[in-house]
Amino acid sequence: MNVSVIGAGYVGLVSALGFCKMNNNVICVDKKIEKITKLNRGIPTLYEEGLEELLKECLQSRNIMFTDDIRIAVEKSDVIFITVGTPTLENWEVDLSQLNEVIREICKYIKSYKVIVNKSTVPVGTQKYIKQLLVDKGVNEENFDVVSNPEFLREGKAIYDFLNADRIVIGLDSERARKIMEKLYKPFNIEIIFTTPETAELIKYASNAFLATKISFINEVANLCDKVGADIEVISYAMGLDKRISPEFLKAGIGFGGSCFPKDTKALVKIAEKYGCNFKIVKSAIEVNNNQRILPVKILLNYYKKLEGKVITVLGLTFKPDTDDIREAPSLYIIRRLLDMKAVVKCYDPKASDEIKKIFPDINCYPNIYDSLEGSSCAIICTEWKEISSMNLEKAKLKMKEPIIIDGRNALDLNKVRDSGIIYFSIGRKRQNLKL
Ligand code: UGA
């Protein structure tokens, strides 16, 4: 089929390559010309497992083109996916300005029937809103249907998730569009849930908010473990064996970050409020997370009382491993607090040194873990990158002024920590001096 994807961010680029891999002709549009130039040359614009190879494969097949010309995309496609950003505003509402801009552009070129599919996470009612916008702009109602098709991919595993999703959710109100979407997705061989647009839009928020709540729940249990001397890892494992609970998303730590959970939990609270509902449980999940992400600073303050002049190393900056994304990462909140308290912050991250410098130009990033630990009075692990989890603790200890590690991701091997003699704090793990 002829498919276009508008917006070459995480969701857009991965979807464009995924649809190309599934033997469709794809046009991927982005208004940033530098991005287009790079992509047409096979240079990835974001870090994602397997993306570079798939980009090259797709370009070689000649079934994909990247352009900033939205007109070509609209004219040549049967299905037009919109995958632009929908960030949160200060007041927790969703900013639909990029989506509005795309609709304003595409409506100029719709001359024959098109299925317009929104993949971005948008408030309930947006499908109806887009339909009305197109009508208001003078597009003939016969010439389009609007479909909601939320995306559930995880950063770092995005290509795998796109091609092997647990489910495909499609919200629509037209038989004609249903046939086209069915044809497009049939080769994926994945269960498709056809439903109303409102239900599809809410499935996405409900899924993300549920997972975020699960994380906040286990983090509260972990904090209690620290008080009572219980072990969160054994608890998570035992809970996860109950099939009704599942072992996923029960890893305690310094909380969730990224471009989705923080944004979508707030948006769901706001959407509920708009309809007179008080979504208490999601509000609490947000509040727990806000405290959890700065827990290492509280532990540190409790230990040193004052942080002025102390050299503190932050190990891992991204919101999770295997991505270069630092959006809403707990590390940002930790670094801000440390700088406010006049600590000297040093950092190491395998992928995000350039990005962090844009936010905190005065902190120093180092090319490896051990250089970043030189003269440090504490290391805070914010991301469980493999090389951080497996670092040489003896070497680390020798570099540090005071060998203290606050492991915000419960990443280190407890036996190794015990043998190293490092003073170690974690999130709800059994105390290092205890042997079972
Ligand atoms: C999340 C969802 O998992 C995807 O299904 C969804 O499509 C996506 O948001 C989105 O809305 O676009 P993502 O933000 O890539 O995906 O990240 P996750 O792997 O879900 O992790 C989110 C955060 O939760 C990370 O900071 C991670 O460290 C944290 N986390 C995750 C925990 O603290 N504990 C866990 O057990 C799991």
Side-chain angles (χ1 to χ4, degrees):
M1 292 180 80
N2 294 320
V3 170
S4 64
V5 178
I6 302 176
Y10 267 104
V11 173
L13 184 54
V14 170
S15 305
L17 297 174
F19 283 127
C20 179
K21 172 108 185 141
M22 296 305 283
N23 301 318
N24 298 286
N25 297 312
V26 179
I27 301 176
C28 183
V29 184
D30 201 286
K31 61 182 179 182
K32 290 191 186 133
I33 189 71
E34 327 82 71
K35 228 183 206 184
I36 295 304
T37 313
K38 275 188 169 174
L39 290 169
N40 274 322
R41 288 189 188 144
I43 305 165
T45 45
L46 48 93
Y47 173 75
E48 189 61 50
E49 200 177 284
L51 189 129
E52 190 165 359
E53 296 76 8
L54 186 56
L55 174 61
K56 293 211 162 85
E57 186 187 320
C58 290
L59 286 168
Q60 263 162 19
S61 74
R62 296 185 182 277
N63 289 335
I64 198 161
M65 84 179 246
F66 296 95
T67 175
D68 62 344
D69 187 350
I70 218 163
R71 185 170 64 90
I72 298 182
V74 176
E75 286 177 357
K76 296 207 167 186
S77 307
D78 311 306
V79 186
I80 302 162
F81 282 89
I82 303 176
T83 53
V84 290
T86 49
T88 317
L89 295 165
E90 284 283 301
N91 64 0
W92 290 18
E93 279 183 13
V94 180
D95 176 3
L96 292 179
S97 56
Q98 293 181 52
L99 184 87
N100 283 327
E101 196 186 318
V102 170
I103 301 293
R104 272 198 298 276
E105 276 300 302
I106 60 176
C107 69
K108 294 183 202 160
Y109 310 114
I110 300 177
K111 302 284 183 276
S112 59
Y113 180 74
K114 308 285 172 193
V115 182
I116 297 161
V117 188
N118 178 55
K119 249 192 186 308
S120 307
T121 306
V122 290
V124 180
T126 302
Q127 181 264 5
K128 276 204 172 67
Y129 166 79
I130 296 175
K131 273 171 81 172
Q132 192 55 50
L133 204 61
L134 287 163
V135 172
D136 292 348
K137 296 277 171 201
V139 183
N140 186 338
E141 276 181 78
E142 296 291 301
N143 276 346
F144 72 88
D145 274 308
V146 180
V147 170
S148 163
N149 172 212
E151 186 51 66
F152 298 95
L153 53 82
R154 296 162 297 171
E155 284 184 34
K157 300 274 175 283
I159 292 166
Y160 176 87
D161 284 352
F162 186 81
L163 298 169
N164 305 279
D166 290 333
R167 74 300 207 191
I168 292 165
V169 173
I170 299 180
L172 37 65
D173 51 13
S174 130
E175 200 46 43
R176 193 176 180 189
R178 180 183 168 127
K179 286 205 175 92
I180 291 174
M181 294 305 285
E182 219 162 16
K183 189 172 164 204
L184 179 65
Y185 275 117
K186 201 157 184 259
F188 285 72
N189 211 7
I190 293 169
E191 180 174 347
I192 304 177
I193 296 149
F194 284 106
T195 182
T196 64
E198 291 74 19
T199 308
E201 286 160 351
L202 200 49
I203 288 171
K204 173 66 194 238
Y205 283 110
S207 302
N208 273 4
F210 184 80
L211 292 171
T213 305
K214 204 173 171 190
I215 297 169
S216 280
F217 181 88
I218 205 67
N219 283 340
E220 288 230 286
V221 179
N223 295 344
L224 183 59
C225 284
D226 274 330
K227 302 276 182 215
V228 301
D231 186 347
I232 192 60
E233 286 179 335
V234 180
I235 293 175
S236 292
Y237 178 71
M239 282 173 70
L241 289 179
D242 185 330
K243 289 184 190 62
R244 296 167 303 171
I245 297 175
S246 114
E248 299 291 323
F249 281 71
L250 284 182
K251 195 163 187 322
I254 48 172
F256 57 82
S259 65
C260 304
F261 287 176
K263 161 175 91 76
D264 293 349
T265 43
K266 287 180 195 160
L268 183 57
V269 167
K270 205 69 199 174
I271 292 164
E273 242 169 47
K274 197 174 151 194
Y275 292 91
C277 300
N278 184 6
F279 217 135
K280 289 189 207 159
I281 200 160
V282 178
K283 279 186 185 167
S284 298
I286 297 169
E287 195 190 328
V288 169
N289 199 58
N290 289 347
N291 288 321
Q292 199 69 12
R293 63 192 177 193
I294 49 156
L295 195 59
V297 182
K298 290 184 186 155
I299 297 172
L300 198 55
L301 260 183
N302 195 32
Y303 189 85
Y304 280 127
K305 311 297 175 224
K306 250 179 76 186
L307 297 182
E308 191 171 349
K310 288 261 178 230
V311 179
I312 310 296
T313 303
V314 176
L315 293 177
L317 299 166
T318 52
F319 80 100
K320 64 175 185 179
D322 304 320
T323 172
D324 59 358
D325 196 343
I326 57 169
R327 282 177 289 177
E328 287 294 315
S331 65
L332 302 182
Y333 293 88
I334 289 171
I335 293 172
R336 198 160 286 130
R337 290 279 169 128
L338 292 174
L339 293 176
D340 285 349
M341 284 183 274
K342 303 206 167 27
V344 178
V345 179
K346 297 168 101 180
C347 292
Y348 170 71
D349 188 279
K351 291 276 179 237
S353 299
D354 292 345
E355 282 306 305
I356 203 77
K357 292 292 275 182
K358 289 181 194 161
I359 303 174
F360 301 109
D362 296 333
I363 62 173
N364 284 323
C365 293
Y366 293 81
N368 68 65
I369 297 174
Y370 307 101
D371 285 353
S372 78
L373 290 172
E374 189 82 60
S376 177
S377 289
C378 176
I380 302 176
I381 298 178
C382 289
T383 320
E384 66 277 35
W385 286 98
K386 212 170 176 177
E387 60 186 288
I388 293 174
S389 311
S390 62
M391 72 176 148
N392 181 328
L393 294 177
E394 275 69 40
K395 196 169 163 189
K397 192 179 170 193
L398 283 176
K399 291 276 178 188
M400 294 178 80
K401 188 174 168 199
E402 285 147 298
I404 298 171
I405 294 184
I406 302 176
D407 186 352
R409 295 293 179 188
N410 293 347
L412 300 181
D413 182 305
L414 276 181
N415 290 322
K416 287 188 185 155
V417 171
R418 208 176 283 134
D419 295 344
S420 72
I422 281 174
I423 301 167
Y424 179 72
F425 298 89
S426 65
I427 313 291
R429 289 173 120 184
K430 69 175 178 284
R431 294 194 196 119
Q432 95 219 45
N433 54 347
L434 285 181
K435 282 201 174 137
L436 281 178

